[in-house]
Amino acid sequence: MPGPFSFLSRKKPTSLPFKDYYENWFNTIKNTLLPLLHQSLSSPSPSLLPFRLDLLLQHFLFYYDSLDQAAAVDVSQILFPSWRNSLETPFLFLGDLHPYLFTNLLRSFIDAANNNKTQNPESLDKPYQVLTAWINPPEKLILRIEQIECGLRLMVPPLISRVRKVQAAFIRKVAEKWDSNEGFKKKGIKEAVKAEMEEMLDVLMGANRLRRSVIIEIVNATNVYQGALFLEGLAQFLVGFKDTALVGEFRRCKLMMMMDINGGGTHWGF
């Protein structure tokens, strides 16, 4: 089904819908790249680990390149992704994962490892270097994480501000044309939509550049074991979104909350 603003497409609509591309991309992570990386992380010989780390890294980077290309065809399909489920939606920012998630995920690995030092590494079924990868991380790594987080705090708010300005300009332009005759009104709204989509495309590509940059900076700041564990965790995070039991439980909780609200006689006035 074409997107709501498909008349703005710059290419023929016969190109592969991004929903289909994402499914193929996701299945490659789940069924091929993630098992390979996990195998290397569980092996006493790390010879293939750098190569498999890079395979997964390039897979993520290529995804964001493809996201840009799909947005250039029809930015609305990326801004309103039909392939995302209700569990994923709270984590999205301008069409994909919020860049804060990457640094928060990294922080969670470090915190978990250093709050649980009682395990005996030799008794667990993983190489010692993997089990101790996040324990007492060097000051240089912590400083680099703080720099990345500082950069995010500087760069994310301007993106949000641009979105608000684009939306405000769109509403103003539509309101100005609303009292015109039908033909002129339709033309004016179409021009306003086109201008908004072009601006949103630029904002979305800025968000994708930021996502790519953060992932690359994290991998470059970590050693091979830490980088592999970070990408493994990110991939597992994505795979978890598609867990049918988890999605079903989320929907059940959401339904129960709505029933509690309605049963309690709450009236929202809509």
Side-chain angles (χ1 to χ4, degrees):
M1 178 181 293
F5 304 112
S6 57
F7 59 85
L8 297 176
S9 296
R10 302 177 187 181
K11 297 181 182 179
K12 295 180 180 180
T14 53
S15 59
L16 180 70
F18 195 77
K19 179 179 180 180
D20 296 338
Y21 167 83
Y22 182 82
E23 183 177 352
N24 294 335
W25 178 86
F26 173 84
N27 287 334
T28 300
I29 280 187
K30 180 181 178 182
N31 301 324
T32 304
L33 298 180
L34 189 54
L36 284 174
L37 187 63
H38 181 74
Q39 183 184 62
S40 289
L41 285 168
S42 301
S43 171
S45 174
S47 58
L48 291 176
L49 184 58
F51 173 69
R52 290 174 175 175
L53 181 159
D54 191 60
L55 278 179
L56 187 52
L57 173 61
Q58 295 305 321
H59 195 63
F60 274 109
L61 299 182
F62 186 75
Y63 163 74
Y64 286 115
D65 290 341
S66 301
L67 198 66
D68 283 346
Q69 293 172 16
V73 175
D74 178 8
V75 68
S76 67
Q77 70 167 326
I78 307 303
L79 292 173
F80 312 105
S82 61
W83 56 91
R84 300 289 191 178
N85 61 45
S86 55
L87 194 60
E88 296 173 274
T89 304
F91 297 92
L92 300 183
F93 172 73
L94 289 171
D96 200 74
L97 295 176
H98 200 298
Y100 283 158
L101 186 145
F102 305 141
T103 51
N104 287 342
L105 190 63
L106 182 60
R107 286 279 190 185
S108 72
F109 295 147
I110 295 173
D111 292 344
N114 289 278
N115 291 332
N116 186 23
K117 299 180 182 179
T118 58
Q119 292 180 326
N120 179 9
E122 296 178 356
S123 67
L124 301 176
D125 190 24
K126 281 189 177 181
Y128 180 83
Q129 298 95 324
V130 173
L131 291 168
T132 59
W134 300 115
I135 295 177
N136 297 326
E139 188 65 27
K140 182 179 178 181
L141 175 58
I142 299 301
L143 178 61
R144 188 70 190 103
I145 294 172
E146 291 174 351
Q147 290 172 341
I148 295 171
E149 290 171 333
C150 181
L152 284 174
R153 288 193 293 270
L154 290 174
M155 299 180 74
V156 169
L159 289 173
I160 297 173
S161 178
R162 284 189 64 187
V163 171
R164 290 172 177 167
K165 290 178 179 178
V166 170
Q167 291 176 331
F170 172 71
I171 292 171
R172 184 180 65 252
K173 290 176 182 177
V174 170
E176 290 172 352
K177 304 295 183 183
W178 199 253
D179 288 336
S180 307
N181 63 63
E182 193 63 29
F184 189 68
K185 178 170 69 176
K186 185 176 181 179
K187 180 182 178 182
I189 293 176
K190 185 174 181 178
E191 289 175 351
V193 169
K194 183 177 180 180
E196 184 193 27
M197 290 299 101
E198 289 177 348
E199 285 289 329
M200 288 304 300
L201 173 61
D202 190 56
V203 175
L204 184 142
M205 287 185 169
N208 284 341
R209 283 194 297 272
L210 185 57
R211 284 184 270 256
R212 273 191 297 260
S213 174
V214 172
I215 292 174
I216 292 172
E217 287 178 4
I218 288 175
V219 173
N220 287 343
T222 54
N223 62 39
V224 66
Y225 293 102
Q226 293 166 338
L229 287 168
F230 166 72
L231 290 180
E232 181 191 44
L234 180 57
Q236 289 173 336
F237 193 80
L238 289 172
V239 171
F241 282 139
K242 304 299 183 183
D243 185 289
T244 53
L246 188 60
V247 173
E249 181 64 17
F250 179 81
R251 289 174 178 169
R252 187 183 69 82
C253 292
K254 185 177 179 180
L255 179 61
M256 289 180 65
M257 289 175 61
M258 294 303 298
M259 291 174 65
D260 289 342
I261 291 173
N262 294 333
T266 304
H267 178 64
W268 299 99
F270 294 139

